[in-house]
Amino acid sequence: MSDVYVLNPDYGLRDDIHRFILFSKANRKGNASPNWMSFIHPAHAAMLSFFTHERSLNENWPLLALFFHCDASKAERLIRPFMENREAFFTTWHGKRICFPRQLIIPMEKAGTEYRFQKLPPCTPTGMTVDTCTRRLYSGPLLLTLMLTNRCMTHCRYCYADTRTQVQNWLPTSRILELIREAAELPVQQINLIGGEIFLHKDWDTILAELVRHGIEPEFISTKIPFTAECLRKLKQTHYKNLIQVSLDAIDTTILVQSLSVNNSYTSEMMRGLRMLDQSGLPYQVSSVLTTYNCDPRTLTDLFRFLSTLKNLHDWRLTPVSNSTTTEYPGFADLKPSHQKISDIFRFLQEAVVPNAHFRIILNQSAIEKQYYTDEGGSMHFNGAVCSALSSHLFILPDGKVTICEQLYWNPRFIIGDAKKSGLKEIWQSPEALHLCNLSRKDLSRQSKCKACTYFEECFEYGNRCWSDIIKAYGKECWDYPDPRCRLAPEMKNRFDY
């Protein structure tokens, strides 16, 4: 093994004006920490840049010592913890943690045969001050989601997506490709593609191939379309190698006709398409949404038996149905199994099905375990996933309008730009975006308990209030109400807990 160590190519660095972003790439190939993003001090970024050149350790130590004004032995002591580290770790700067992922600096032999030296100069930030705490990125989004179309071939009763809005002027493919190139220049971590049904977009393969070419393709693509040989041929030609997620809730035709509004041939077409996908060599998983239609042992056992005939299935994921911001609540309430029903079916699957599976079965229990009305001290302390809206993520609708969150769609209060007219950086810093980032008490209605809350400033500044959950719980006009996780939140008008 040579004495050349390099920055793991599964990680990327980006100047974020007042710090650097260290992130894992979408198409990582090694043992990198998945879905990683942290803010690091410019000095750390400068240190990492020395490992983007074809130099031995003995050549790097004196160069690092010269740059950091210390002797070579001290430079080595400082940097050794970052080399082939098996676990993520942190250092502190002014009392603040700075976190680093595993396997950050690795031997060149482990970087893969396609590794190319980037030869980065010592990184220096464009800003004059250092800030490793502010959640919102300064330089633009790190994640993008492109909703290619809101058209779908099914009409699922439980669908949370806005498939009803009639798109008049579609975002042209030429502009989508420009946005992809602009995003790659930033760079972004990845761009997600969603629908509707993305395979109904006339240029889905061109768009996906461009994402792959830039190394920012989605982690997975979700679909309800029955695969054909032609579709699989096009998919292979894009060189996309991440997961295909096929949504299938049952193999009972009556259930699918009633719940998805499909024709009687849909079930057999989906099963045939899955068998073709299984033989294609493309990695895939199956996802099932649990509703009152299919949340019973017989239906899920029948589906499991079919899935067991597939040789290359990666995993089967089961998730309880969730509410929508665009569909009236009573319709969803009728589709939701009870907490007891979900618990019973998960127990049945765990005991009777999981032991007999040759693939992983993932039971998403977060929906029934999530707590509401419990957290205090502002959004920094809310349980569950941390919201990326306005902090690192943009969502581009099929007509080019840009919103802050997938589930808010065309809600005018959250439209912050138009990708037909503006670039990503401009939209990120638009007056509409900055207004939402800097809401004051006077922007809120008297009915909102947030208006007079002691924690208002830190809660809104941290930005972890889930706008879509608030609207689901209280309605569109109550967008400024507390997040339902907050101890001070009023009782939900439309309950989405279990």
Side-chain angles (χ1 to χ4, degrees):
M1 183 176 288
S2 75
D3 197 26
V4 177
Y5 277 69
V6 298
L7 172 63
N8 191 330
D10 285 342
Y11 296 116
L13 276 174
R14 186 171 114 191
D15 178 4
D16 197 39
I17 302 176
H18 297 287
R19 67 278 180 103
F20 276 77
I21 306 168
L22 177 62
F23 62 92
S24 56
K25 296 180 181 178
N27 58 351
R28 65 186 188 281
K29 299 178 178 65
N31 191 30
S33 298
N35 302 312
W36 182 274
M37 186 195 79
S38 60
F39 302 135
I40 64 174
H41 193 283
H44 292 122
M47 177 267 290
L48 292 174
S49 70
F50 280 82
F51 293 90
T52 63
H53 298 258
E54 190 173 4
R55 291 193 290 245
S56 70
L57 290 176
N58 287 333
E59 290 173 307
N60 253 337
W61 299 140
L63 293 173
L64 283 157
L66 182 65
F67 184 83
F68 287 108
H69 305 288
C70 64
D71 59 56
S73 60
K74 183 176 181 180
E76 181 176 354
R77 287 198 307 274
L78 289 172
I79 290 160
R80 282 290 180 187
F82 298 85
M83 298 172 62
E84 294 190 273
N85 52 306
R86 294 184 178 181
E87 302 293 337
F89 70 100
F90 68 89
T91 62
T92 57
W93 177 74
H94 287 195
K96 304 293 184 182
R97 286 188 175 187
I98 298 180
C99 299
F100 297 91
R102 66 180 180 232
Q103 297 293 314
L104 185 54
I105 299 173
I106 59 175
M108 189 177 70
E109 288 80 2
K110 293 184 178 181
T113 56
E114 298 178 3
Y115 179 78
R116 297 292 181 270
F117 290 96
Q118 293 177 274
K119 299 182 179 179
L120 298 175
C123 300
T124 55
T126 51
M128 297 299 291
T129 58
V130 175
D131 171 16
T132 60
C133 297
T134 302
R135 284 188 65 231
R136 188 169 199 265
L137 306 189
Y138 290 99
S139 54
L142 189 66
L143 297 167
L144 286 180
T145 297
L146 286 171
M147 188 181 192
L148 293 185
T149 177
N150 66 339
R151 293 189 299 119
C152 202
M153 66 176 302
T154 62
H155 299 283
C156 309
R157 283 198 62 200
Y158 59 76
C159 183
Y160 68 76
D162 182 354
T163 57
R164 296 167 181 79
T165 296
Q166 297 295 311
V167 178
Q168 301 299 325
N169 297 299
W170 297 84
L171 186 63
T173 299
S174 59
R175 179 58 183 145
I176 292 175
L177 298 178
E178 288 174 357
L179 289 167
I180 290 171
R181 290 189 282 271
E182 183 184 344
E185 282 291 316
L186 273 171
V188 299
Q189 188 174 37
Q190 68 181 55
I191 296 181
N192 299 310
L193 296 181
I194 68 166
E197 175 58 67
I198 74 160
F199 294 109
L200 292 182
H201 189 285
K202 64 184 181 66
D203 295 319
W204 67 264
D205 52 334
T206 301
I207 294 165
L208 182 57
E210 186 72 1
L211 290 173
V212 172
R213 190 171 75 83
H214 288 286
I216 51 176
E217 65 269 31
E219 190 172 353
F220 68 91
I221 292 172
S222 184
T223 181
K224 271 189 166 72
I225 199 168
F227 276 108
T228 63
E230 175 64 11
C231 184
L232 290 173
R233 183 188 66 79
K234 285 186 174 182
L235 191 53
K236 283 188 171 183
Q237 286 181 339
T238 68
H239 301 292
Y240 177 76
K241 292 182 171 60
N242 290 345
L243 280 170
I244 307 295
Q245 178 174 285
V246 179
S247 297
L248 184 64
D249 303 329
I251 56 168
D252 184 316
T253 296
T254 301
I255 289 176
L256 295 186
V257 168
Q258 291 177 350
S259 62
L260 308 187
S261 301
V262 292
N263 59 38
N264 288 327
S265 65
Y266 179 79
T267 307
S268 59
E269 290 171 358
M270 283 296 293
M271 293 170 71
R272 182 165 58 251
L274 267 169
R275 291 190 184 100
M276 293 174 64
L277 179 60
D278 189 60
Q279 296 168 7
S280 71
L282 295 167
Y284 72 100
Q285 61 191 29
V286 169
S287 174
S288 302
V289 175
L290 296 177
T291 65
T292 48
Y293 285 106
N294 66 346
C295 193
D296 67 81
R298 182 191 63 79
T299 300
L300 294 177
T301 298
D302 288 347
L303 177 55
F304 169 71
R305 286 173 180 156
F306 165 67
L307 297 180
S308 296
T309 66
L310 305 173
K311 296 180 180 179
N312 300 304
L313 176 60
H314 185 273
D315 60 67
W316 179 29
R317 298 170 181 244
L318 298 99
T319 303
V321 66
S322 61
N323 293 41
S324 170
T325 61
T326 62
T327 303
E328 292 300 319
Y329 174 70
F332 264 93
D334 293 342
L335 295 172
K336 289 172 64 175
S338 66
H339 185 287
Q340 187 62 53
K341 189 80 170 176
I342 295 287
S343 299
D344 289 346
I345 202 69
F346 277 173
R347 188 180 306 109
F348 165 77
L349 291 167
Q350 194 68 55
E351 294 174 357
V353 176
V354 170
N356 300 311
H358 66 80
F359 45 82
R360 281 199 310 158
I361 298 179
I362 300 169
L363 308 176
N364 186 353
Q365 304 198 53
S366 60
I368 61 173
E369 293 175 347
K370 196 170 182 179
Q371 299 295 308
Y372 299 97
Y373 317 120
T374 57
D375 301 335
E376 58 182 318
S379 65
M380 181 184 294
H381 304 286
F382 287 169
N383 69 84
V386 177
C387 179
S388 62
L390 284 174
S391 63
S392 60
H393 192 188
L394 284 182
F395 186 90
I396 302 177
L397 293 157
D399 60 357
K401 293 291 190 295
V402 182
T403 184
I404 66 171
C405 169
E406 173 187 348
Q407 296 193 46
L408 294 173
Y409 299 104
W410 282 273
N411 186 320
R413 192 178 297 278
F414 299 98
I415 297 294
I416 60 172
D418 188 339
K420 284 181 180 175
K421 303 174 182 177
S422 306
L424 298 174
K425 289 184 178 180
E426 184 181 352
I427 293 168
W428 190 250
Q429 298 294 345
S430 70
E432 295 83 358
L434 296 178
H435 172 70
L436 286 172
C437 288
N438 298 285
L439 290 172
S440 66
R441 294 177 191 267
K442 68 180 182 181
D443 294 311
L444 276 56
S445 66
R446 293 180 180 178
Q447 290 72 34
S448 173
K449 289 189 176 182
C450 296
K451 192 176 184 75
C453 181
T454 305
Y455 301 111
F456 176 87
E457 281 75 18
E458 51 261 53
C459 182
F460 276 69
E461 182 180 347
Y462 190 71
N464 188 29
R465 299 168 72 258
C466 181
W467 301 101
S468 62
D469 275 1
I470 293 167
I471 291 172
K472 288 176 189 177
Y474 305 112
K476 288 183 180 179
E477 298 307 312
C478 301
W479 65 275
D480 56 355
Y481 272 37
D483 185 299
R485 292 171 290 182
C486 178
R487 185 177 63 83
L488 302 175
E491 184 177 351
M492 288 187 252
K493 176 184 175 183
N494 306 317
R495 290 189 57 179
F496 54 77
D497 57 335
Y498 277 88

